């Protein structure tokens, strides 16, 4: 029994030793497998990094590539193009001055008329009758004047007779050859006849004034009768007609309703242009301007500056300027839209660069200059006119600088670049 008990612990110890050894073998194998896997993943990556680093080290240094330009000298003259509205040289709305019925209409819309041409006739019998009455009254006043003149002559003759009687009787009375009563009667009669002469002269003055008043009334009615004929005030074209034969015509004005006719003078047109403040001082009367109308492509019109407002509009800061254009061929129509190009004297020296050469940031406008060592330098400039694809540089560059044609946002001060 004692032998079997001693043998059992020995066997148990042997089995424990075998289990520990087996566990160590498995752990060691797992570690070895992990190390192999790590080596398989790391070594190729390290190799690729070394190859890339070697390639970078062997490659030449790279810099931004830019294209260079030079500023061009501005022309001694500059062009200013502005929109304008074409309006007639003269325009008028014709209204009636007498009331009546339209007897005849001679023209219609689009008719070319001459100054003084009768456009329509109004029948106004009331005015005609008033004129006849005024003429009769004038004839009566003229007859009254003749009667007053005859009365004056008669009064003068009577006064002369009484003067002779007075001059004869006064000496006789002094000699007591006749009674004093006869002398006094002769004196008083002569004085009365002198008063008659003064009254007759006053009657002539009154009759003359009456004739003047009646003639003025006749002239007024003649003018009113003349208004029965609606005539063209100047050569032009009828642009509006609002009456027909038989219509009742009433006197009116612009505030009372539509005119009978509207007429416009289109042989010479004027174009109204608003010139901005920056160029207003360069616009002079007599200056030539080129006019371009979209509906007349390929045809050039030349206008002349005839007048300007001489002051700026407070709201828009522009000056109203008028350019007249010859339109005797009728190719332009009032109301058209036109582009007016002024050739202005350039009072300052300037350089022209492409708009793409400008760099605009918070500090203002700059151009990018490339120095002799191919480094970047940002140079501030002052800009004048913007001509679309080009701009005018007033100051900041001299003209001989090498400018980057289209600088990008990645360029920085002092950076080295490659020039193409």
């Amino acid at each position: 029994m004692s032998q079997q008990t001693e043998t059992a612990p020995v066997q148990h110890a042997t089995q424990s030793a075998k289990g520990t050894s087996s566990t160590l073998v498995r752990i060691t194998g797992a570690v070895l497998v992990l190390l192999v896997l790590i080596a398989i993943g790391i070594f190729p990556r390290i190799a690729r990094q070394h190859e890339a680093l070697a390639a970078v080290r062997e490659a030449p240094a790279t810099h931004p590539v830019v294209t260079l330009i030079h500023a061009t000298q501005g022309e001694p003259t500059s062009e200013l193009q502005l929109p304008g509205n074409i309006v007639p040289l003269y325009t008028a709305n014709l209204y009636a001055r007498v009331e009546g019925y339209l007897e005849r209409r001679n023209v219609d819309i689009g008719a070319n008329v001459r100054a003084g041409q009768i456009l329509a006739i109004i029948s106004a019998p009331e005015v005609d009758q008033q004129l006849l009455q005024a003429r009769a009254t004038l004839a009566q006043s003229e007859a009254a004047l003749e009667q007053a003149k005859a009365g004056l002559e008669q009064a003068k003759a009577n006064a002369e007779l009484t003067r002779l009687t007075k001059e004869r009787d006064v000496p006789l009375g002094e000699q007591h050859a006749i009674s004093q009563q006869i002398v006094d009667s002769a004196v008083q009669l002569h004085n009365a006849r002198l008063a008659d002469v003064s009254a007759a002269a006053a009657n002539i003055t009154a009759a003359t004034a009456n004739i003047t008043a009646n003639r003025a009334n006749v002239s007024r009615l003649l003018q009113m009768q003349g208004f029965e004929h609606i005539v063209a005030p100047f050569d032009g074209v009828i642009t509006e007609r609002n009456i027909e034969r038989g219509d009742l015509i009433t006197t009116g004005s612009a505030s009372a309703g539509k005119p009978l006719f509207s007429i416009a003078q289109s042989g010479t047109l004027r174009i109204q242009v608003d010139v901005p403040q920056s160029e207003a001082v360069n616009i002079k009367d007599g200056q030539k301007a080129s006019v371009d109308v979209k509906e007349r492509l390929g045809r050039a019109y030349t206008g002349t500056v005839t007048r300007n407002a001489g002051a700026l509009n407070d709201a828009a800061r522009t000056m109203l300027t008028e350019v007249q254009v010859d339109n005797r061929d009728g190719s332009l129509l009032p109301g058209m839209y036109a582009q007016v190009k002024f050739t202005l004297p350039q009072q300052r020296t300037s350089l022209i660069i492409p708009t793409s050469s400008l760099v605009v940031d918070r500090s203002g406008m700059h151009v990018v200059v490339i120095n002799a060592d191919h480094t970047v330098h940002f140079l501030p400039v002052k800009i004048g006119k913007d001509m679309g694809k080009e701009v005018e540089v007033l100051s900041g560059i001299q003209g001989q600088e090498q400018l980057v044609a289209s600088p990008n946002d990645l360029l920085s001060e002092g950076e080295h670049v490659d020039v193409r």
Side-chain angles (χ1 to χ4, degrees), residues 77-348:
T77 59
S78 62
E79 293 182 347
L80 175 66
Q81 185 165 323
L82 297 170
N85 295 319
I86 300 178
V87 297
L89 183 61
Y90 304 110
T91 182
N93 295 321
L94 307 182
Y95 294 87
R97 290 292 305 276
V98 295
E99 296 185 352
Y101 290 90
L102 187 67
E103 180 179 331
R104 187 169 72 248
R105 175 176 59 80
N106 299 329
V107 296
D108 207 336
I109 296 174
N112 291 291
V113 297
R114 309 293 296 178
Q117 180 178 339
I118 298 177
L119 309 180
I121 297 177
I122 299 173
S123 176
E126 293 86 354
V127 175
D128 298 339
Q129 294 301 320
Q130 290 175 9
L131 178 60
L132 291 176
Q133 183 179 359
R135 283 175 170 166
T137 303
L138 175 60
Q140 288 178 350
S141 61
E142 289 175 344
L145 175 62
E146 296 300 324
Q147 185 177 0
K149 288 180 178 180
L152 176 61
E153 294 299 325
Q154 184 178 0
K156 286 180 178 180
N158 293 334
E160 180 65 17
L161 178 61
T162 58
R163 183 187 65 82
L164 294 175
T165 303
K166 173 186 174 182
E167 290 179 352
R168 183 190 65 224
D169 290 348
V170 169
L172 292 175
E174 291 175 351
Q175 297 174 5
H176 302 286
I178 59 175
S179 65
Q180 186 63 36
Q181 183 181 1
I182 296 176
V183 174
D184 293 341
S185 177
V187 172
Q188 292 299 326
L189 187 59
H190 177 62
N191 291 337
R193 294 297 172 264
L194 290 178
D196 291 343
V197 172
S198 298
N203 289 337
I204 291 177
T205 302
T208 303
N210 195 24
I211 288 176
T212 302
N214 290 330
R215 282 178 178 171
N217 190 35
V218 170
S219 298
R220 180 183 66 84
L221 291 171
L222 282 172
Q223 289 287 340
M224 295 298 294
Q225 190 180 53
F227 290 140
E228 294 178 0
H229 292 178
I230 307 299
V231 299
F234 47 77
D235 297 349
V237 178
I238 301 298
T239 59
E240 186 177 353
R241 184 265 304 162
N242 298 305
I243 53 172
E244 284 294 351
R245 183 176 180 180
D247 286 348
L248 175 64
I249 306 300
T250 59
T251 58
S253 62
S255 61
K258 293 183 178 181
L260 306 182
F261 296 96
S262 291
I263 183 173
Q265 201 280 350
S266 56
T268 300
L269 298 175
R270 52 182 175 179
I271 306 175
Q272 296 179 335
V273 183
D274 292 320
V275 179
Q277 176 178 336
S278 58
E279 298 296 348
V281 295
N282 293 323
I283 302 298
K284 306 295 182 183
D285 291 351
Q287 184 176 345
K288 298 298 181 181
S290 175
V291 179
D292 181 30
V293 179
K294 182 179 179 181
E295 290 74 17
R296 295 290 184 263
L297 292 177
R299 178 165 181 177
Y301 296 88
T302 301
T304 304
V305 177
T306 55
R307 61 185 61 86
N308 60 73
L312 298 180
N313 181 283
D314 292 339
R317 298 299 173 187
T318 56
M319 181 178 70
L320 179 62
T321 302
E322 287 190 357
V323 177
Q324 286 191 6
V325 180
D326 185 4
N327 189 47
R328 284 175 290 184
D329 60 354
S331 59
L332 297 177
L333 301 177
M336 279 184 166
Y337 179 82
Q339 292 287 336
V340 182
K341 185 183 295 183
F342 300 94
T343 301
L344 306 176
Q346 188 66 286
Q347 301 298 331
R348 53 182 180 263

Side-chain angles (χ1 to χ4, degrees), residues 37 44-45 92 186 222 280 305 339 360 369:
L37 293 175
R45 182 176 297 176
L222 282 172
V305 177
Q339 292 287 336
V360 183
V369 179

